[in-house]
Structure formats: C-alpha cells, structure tokens
Amino acid sequence: MAGLYLHIPFCKQACYYCDFHFSTDSRHRSELLEAMHKEMTLRKGFLSAPLETIYFGGGTPSLLEGDQIASFLALAEKTFGIAPQPEITLEANPDDLTKDKLHAIRAAGVNRLSIGIQSFRDDLLKYLHRAHDAQAARRSLEESREAGFTNISIDLIYAIPGLDLASWETSLKEAASYRPEHLSSYSLTIEERTVFGHHLRAGKLRRVEDEQAAQQFERMQDVLEDLGYEQYEISNFSLPGFHSRHNSSYWLQKPYLGIGPSAHSYDGVRRYVNLANNPRYAEALRSDRIPSEAEVLSAVDQINEYLLTRLRTKWGVDLRVLRKLGDDLPGRCGSRLNRYMEEGLLVISGEEVRLTRRGMLLADRITEELMAG
Ligand code: SF4
C-alpha cells in the first residue's frame, strides 16, 4: 500500500486559528505547481507500490482548476502507477465549490471530498475568519451530492469560545443530516504563531475550559454514535466502510510520499520534511534539488511514535509489534496499565491494547505516561 500527499500551499485568507503552511500571495502559483511536478518526477523511486490513495491537502486545494488537478493525477499515474479503486481526496472550502468547479473536480478523477465546513453559525465562522458563511456551507454540501460525490467528509471545530453544548449538538445533528460518509472534528487549539495566539497573549481571547471542551467531545461521541457513525480515531468518525484510507495509512505507519512545501514523507525507516517556504522551495526545484531534511528515527522514537499514533485509533497497540521494536510495554508499565483498566480507560484483549471511549478523552495524558525512554 502506498499513499501520495500533495500540499497545495495557497489560501484566499488566513483563518485565525491556522498554523498550517500556506500563503495568501497569489503570485507565482504556476511556478510553484511546476516545482511540485518536478519534485514528483525526482521522487520516482521513493515508493515501491502503486498508489492506493492520493490526497490533495493544504492550504486550499479547491483553489486549483480541474485541469491542474487532472495533470497532477496524470503525472502520479505515469510516475508511480495508480492501483485499481484508489481513494482520491481533495480538501475543499465551501466558497470554492461552485457547480462548475464540482463537476471539474469530479471529471478530473477526485472521488472523495473533504469539505471544511467548521461551523454552521455565521457568528462563529466570522470569529474564526473563515472565507465562507453558513449558507455557503449548506449549499456546498447539497451541490456536492448533486454533482455525484458519494464519499464526502465534513470538518467541524468545537471548543470555540461562544459555542455552548446545546449549539454544538445542533451543529453536529445538522452536519449528520447531510449523511456525510465521514466526519472529522477537532477541538480549537490556540497555536502560538496564529492570530488567535496573538489575541491570547494580548488578553483578548480566553481559552475554553478543559471541562467544557471535554463535555463537547463526549456529546460528539454520543450524538454521532447514535446516528450510526463509528469513532475509529479520536477526531474521526465514519459510516461503516468509509474510514479515510489515506489518513489511516498514516496511523497504521504505512509508507507515504508528500510533495510540496512543508510536506512530510515516510519510507518505513526515515521521515522527511520539505522546506516550508514557497519561493525557496520552487527555487530549489528549478535546480533539480529537493529541499527536504531527513530524520532517522531512533529505536525509542519508533516505539513512541507507534504508541502516539496507534493509541488514538480503534485498532490500538499491537504488543507483538512493540516487541519487534524492542519494547516490553506490559513489563515496563504493568501497574499503570492495570490502573487504567480498573478506571475503565483501557482494555487489553490478547495482544491488543486499546483505549475505551472514555480513555480517548484522556489519550494525550495516557500516551505520555506510557512512552518509552
Ligand atoms: S484553515 Fe485551511 S483555509 Fe484556513 S488558512 Fe488554514 S489551510 Fe487555509
């Protein structure tokens, strides 16, 4: 199994919470896309199997035209090959999804849309500095279906100042009323290098209390499970058979290649991270150089990464894999594991260690306490 991630590093405007790599400068976009084509060609030998998943992330990939998407896919096919029935996802913002754009995206070969709805409340969308309003969000969902998309994911944010529990429940139910195959939902985190980070330092913003965020997380679990969605990762829910194949391959530690500024790659041994600077990335590729740094993971890093990613998922940790990595988790943390089991936070069945629904709420703390080294 192999996956390809394409980082499209442009946005119309900066959302106040976002610390992904993007630029709102619309100049030199075609040079940047050309550089990404070049990087893909130079990375030809990176993957040894045809692509089963391709993911256009960003940034805002829905700013691409249909022919630009099609030409990335044609190059991916030529360079790596694409396996039968691939999952090809494009992240999209509601304001970009006109009827024409939706048809162009579909005709280019995209078969899964991940739509950044974030909220159905205009005041909160404004507060987050999103480029769309609630009406555009609703329209994009209806028209995506009309355009023939049968695999749609909705992104929502909770723990936003001003979002109370009742209103969050209403938003979840409204999202589910479109019957998306998948939902991703993240708690608003205030990152230092964002507008919200600045507001926090200036005393203009107060974080939502942990307890309130926890109540919203638990309400989300209740509402979505009642509506038939399975929580297969802390922040991800799906109808049966519709978990994100691409993101699952990250959590299951399969090799993937990331193309574009700031993109990450993993070949099973090393991680690579590309330079997060659009002009310098393009300049390096013009001279056939991939501006990327490699990090060889130490044995302890590998164990901790495995714990960090797998404990977030319904698949949990496989003790046999940990043993192969040189770790004896039950020997190292036996009394902690017993305590978590008594508290109903964790279950061990055979060789599998999984967090319970309640344990997922405390995943960060539990993982930290189980880490090696
Ligand atoms: S959240 Fe998405 S649309 Fe908003 S700035 Fe970040 S990458 Fe761009």
Side-chain angles (χ1 to χ4, degrees), residues 100-120:
D100 286 350
K101 177 60 80 73
L102 280 162
H103 286 291
I105 291 172
R106 191 142 182 272
V110 171
N111 56 22
R112 183 172 183 273
L113 279 183
S114 171
I115 308 179
I117 300 290
Q118 316 309 358
S119 173
F120 288 102

Side-chain angles (χ1 to χ4, degrees), residues 55-96:
Y55 194 102
F56 289 87
T60 311
S62 51
L63 290 175
L64 294 177
E65 299 301 333
D67 59 345
Q68 293 172 321
I69 297 168
S71 84
F72 270 122
L73 293 177
L75 183 59
E77 165 76 57
K78 186 174 148 207
T79 312
F80 307 107
I82 298 180
Q85 275 126 36
E87 176 191 270
I88 303 180
T89 305
L90 183 118
E91 287 181 351
N93 281 343
D95 43 310
D96 295 327

Side-chain angles (χ1 to χ4, degrees), residues 7-8 10-24 57-61 91 93 116 118 128-131 157:
H7 189 83
I8 310 299
F10 317 119
C11 292
K12 273 188 202 156
Q13 65 183 47
C15 303
Y16 285 170
Y17 57 90
C18 179
D19 78 338
F20 293 138
H21 172 70
F22 65 90
S23 163
T24 51
T60 311
E91 287 181 351
N93 281 343
Q118 316 309 358
L128 297 170
H129 204 235
R130 296 286 299 172
I157 300 179

